[in-house]
Amino acid sequence: MNENNENTQESKNASKRKKKNIAVLVIMFLLLVCLFIVQCQLDKIKQEAQQKAQETELEARQKHILDSLRRLEQAKADSLANAEAARIADSLRLADSARVADSMRVADSLASLKPEINKDSLRHVRDSIKHVRDSVAAADKARNDSLAAIADSLAKVEKARLDSLEKKRVQDSIRAADQTPPSAEIVPPSGRYYDPIKLKVKCDEIKCKTFLSIGDTLNPVEAGKAVEYNKTGSVFYFAEDSVGNRTKWEEAKYDMASDNVCGKNAYPVPVGGKTVCVDAYEYPNEADATPRDMVSQEQAASLCEQAGKHLCSIDEWQAACRGKDKTRFSYGDGYKQNKCNTNTKAMKRSGRKEQCRSWFGMYDMNGNLWEWTSTKSKDHPNMFLVAGGAWNTNNESKCTDSKFSFYPQNQYPSVGFRCCK
């Protein structure tokens, strides 16, 4: 009996759990249906909003078109009104002229038929007619002046429009034809310096903007005006012309030192394990001075000795010219015609070519004047080597060119010298 009761109880519990599970499933199904209905409504609302936005945009376009048409119609109506006003004014002028003529004829007729009419009355009539004529003439003149002023204004507007179009056409033509970027250079050039310097980027075109960025290319600033600089590192620069052509980023490296042991206008150069002080300029070693030429090798050596120095050897001279990177020219490995005075008809004053500076600080070591050295030629023991080229030697003015040698007692118009210590 008890066992039957337990079975009956378990059966009831199982039935309740089944009903409970069914109820949970029904509720979940109803929730899914509700979610589906909500999603459908949201999609419908979204579609309606998009459709309304499209209709609003279409209405705005239609309104813009209608406004444009109304403005055109108004302009047309204004033109017709002006034309009609001018026609009416002409008609009135003709009518006034006819009326005046009729009045004159009537007055003449009255004068001939009735001599006894008071002459003052006739004079009054004639004065009135003259006044009317003057008024009509003044009105015609004012109208003609107004039309002339309008015509002049329209002509000026049209001329300005045509000038603007022509200017734009010329600029577009120049822009299309000019695809060549400008040339940029930074002064002072790369090298070692012992005092703060002022950096400036120069361009070979008139309407040109220049920029530089210190340390990297992330912060460019305009470099038309000098920028104070006193830091060892790299400076990047470029130029852009008036039609948008620009150069690539170029790098200039600087070494800001403070240990110049050589004194004025001379700088230390490492040569064969020792330090040699080399003059910055050709003798007499002064900026913007005229270099000494027409001097023999013997005279050059004597002048250096008088200054407490000696005539540079070929090794000292080449070390000063080639710099720390051992370049072929004082400014780099590739020949550049405008860097130094190598393609002209005469020598220049010392230091005038700002870019013609070696890393260690020596100017005009390529071109300007050949320079005597204290080194004898291996092929001609009684001759001494000259180095660096002259004002007309073009790319035959490398730091390594020492193929020419001359008799020490001879003087030449294209040979000078510098001193070392």
Side-chain angles (χ1 to χ4, degrees):
M1 186 68 178
N2 290 333
E3 185 175 350
N4 289 334
N5 289 336
E6 290 176 359
N7 291 334
T8 301
Q9 188 65 30
E10 288 178 359
S11 176
K12 287 181 180 181
N13 291 337
S15 177
K16 287 181 181 180
R17 285 194 298 272
K18 185 177 181 180
K19 289 180 181 180
K20 186 177 180 181
N21 290 336
I22 292 172
V24 170
L25 289 174
V26 170
I27 292 170
M28 291 178 67
F29 176 76
L30 292 175
L31 287 173
L32 289 173
V33 170
C34 291
L35 288 173
F36 177 75
I37 293 172
V38 170
Q39 184 63 40
C40 290
Q41 289 296 322
L42 290 174
D43 291 341
K44 184 177 179 180
I45 292 171
K46 183 178 180 181
Q47 291 176 358
E48 289 177 353
Q50 291 177 348
Q51 184 177 1
K52 186 174 181 181
Q54 292 175 355
E55 290 175 354
T56 303
E57 183 179 358
L58 181 60
E59 288 177 358
R61 290 181 181 176
Q62 291 176 347
K63 183 178 178 183
H64 178 71
I65 293 171
L66 289 174
D67 290 341
S68 299
L69 291 174
R70 287 195 195 96
R71 285 195 293 271
L72 289 174
E73 289 294 332
Q74 184 63 38
K76 183 178 179 181
D78 292 342
S79 298
L80 291 174
N82 291 334
E84 182 63 19
R87 187 185 65 79
I88 292 172
D90 290 340
S91 299
L92 290 174
R93 183 173 57 81
L94 292 173
D96 288 340
S97 298
R99 184 171 61 81
V100 169
D102 291 340
S103 299
M104 290 293 294
R105 284 195 294 271
V106 170
D108 291 339
S109 299
L110 289 172
S112 62
L113 291 174
K114 297 181 179 180
E116 67 277 8
I117 293 178
N118 193 307
K119 292 181 179 181
D120 292 337
S121 298
L122 290 175
R123 189 179 298 109
H124 178 70
V125 171
R126 289 183 183 276
D127 292 341
S128 298
I129 292 170
K130 183 177 182 300
H131 178 70
V132 171
R133 281 181 175 175
D134 292 342
S135 299
V136 171
D140 286 343
K141 183 178 183 302
R143 185 174 66 86
N144 291 333
D145 292 344
S146 178
L147 291 174
I150 292 172
D152 290 342
S153 298
L154 291 175
K156 289 179 180 178
V157 170
E158 181 64 14
K159 184 177 183 303
R161 186 181 69 84
L162 293 176
D163 290 344
S164 177
L165 291 174
E166 179 64 15
K167 183 177 180 181
K168 184 177 183 301
R169 185 189 67 78
V170 171
Q171 290 176 343
D172 291 342
S173 299
I174 294 173
R175 188 175 290 108
D178 183 6
Q179 300 293 329
T180 305
S183 176
E185 61 182 24
I186 191 168
V187 290
S190 297
R192 178 174 293 164
Y193 295 88
Y194 296 87
D195 296 299
I197 56 179
K198 292 184 177 181
L199 298 176
K200 188 175 181 180
V201 181
K202 295 184 177 181
C203 182
D204 63 346
E205 296 185 15
I206 297 176
K207 293 183 178 180
C208 187
K209 292 183 178 180
T210 57
F211 301 85
L212 64 79
S213 182
I214 297 174
D216 52 39
T217 60
L218 301 179
N219 301 294
V221 296
E222 286 201 36
K225 296 182 179 180
V227 177
E228 294 281 349
Y229 186 77
N230 187 22
K231 179 181 179 182
T232 296
S234 294
V235 175
F236 298 85
Y237 62 96
F238 72 90
E240 182 175 339
D241 63 20
S242 58
V243 296
N245 298 316
R246 57 165 288 181
T247 63
K248 295 180 180 179
W249 281 105
E250 297 184 61
E251 182 182 9
K253 297 180 179 180
Y254 296 94
D255 180 15
M256 307 307 294
S258 59
D259 55 348
N260 183 16
V261 296
C262 296
K264 182 181 179 182
N265 289 347
Y267 300 105
V269 177
V271 183
K274 62 179 182 178
T275 298
V276 177
C277 293
V278 182
D279 284 356
Y281 305 101
E282 294 168 322
Y283 190 87
N285 193 29
E286 295 177 5
D288 208 39
T290 300
R292 177 78 177 268
D293 64 349
M294 291 300 296
V295 58
S296 68
Q297 195 268 355
E298 296 169 346
Q299 290 173 324
S302 176
L303 289 170
C304 286
E305 288 178 3
Q306 292 175 21
K309 304 176 183 179
H310 64 268
L311 188 63
C312 297
S313 69
I314 192 66
D315 291 337
E316 293 169 337
W317 194 98
Q318 288 183 347
C321 182
R322 300 185 70 185
K324 70 178 184 65
D325 294 327
K326 305 291 189 294
T327 54
R328 297 171 65 203
F329 296 89
S330 60
Y331 49 80
D333 279 320
Y335 172 68
K336 295 183 179 179
Q337 179 176 304
N338 295 327
K339 292 285 188 179
C340 296
N341 183 28
T342 58
N343 188 35
T344 63
K345 296 181 179 180
M347 69 177 174
K348 294 184 181 295
R349 293 178 180 272
S350 294
R352 283 289 180 92
K353 301 293 283 187
E354 295 177 295
Q355 293 292 312
C356 194
R357 181 188 189 274
S358 71
W359 173 267
F360 293 116
M362 291 80 221
Y363 288 89
D364 302 319
M365 300 200 82
N366 304 118
N368 211 40
L369 289 177
W370 289 100
E371 297 185 20
W372 283 113
T373 71
S374 62
T375 303
K376 291 184 177 182
S377 170
K378 294 180 180 178
D379 299 326
H380 307 283
N382 58 340
M383 295 183 179
F384 286 82
L385 296 176
V386 294
W391 63 78
N392 58 355
T393 52
N394 294 294
N395 62 346
E396 295 297 323
S397 55
K398 295 183 283 291
C399 296
T400 55
D401 281 344
S402 59
K403 59 185 179 181
F404 293 101
S405 58
F406 301 113
Y407 289 105
Q409 69 273 17
N410 291 347
Q411 300 175 345
Y412 303 92
S414 59
V415 180
F417 67 100
R418 77 177 66 218
C419 301
C420 291
K421 184 178 180 180

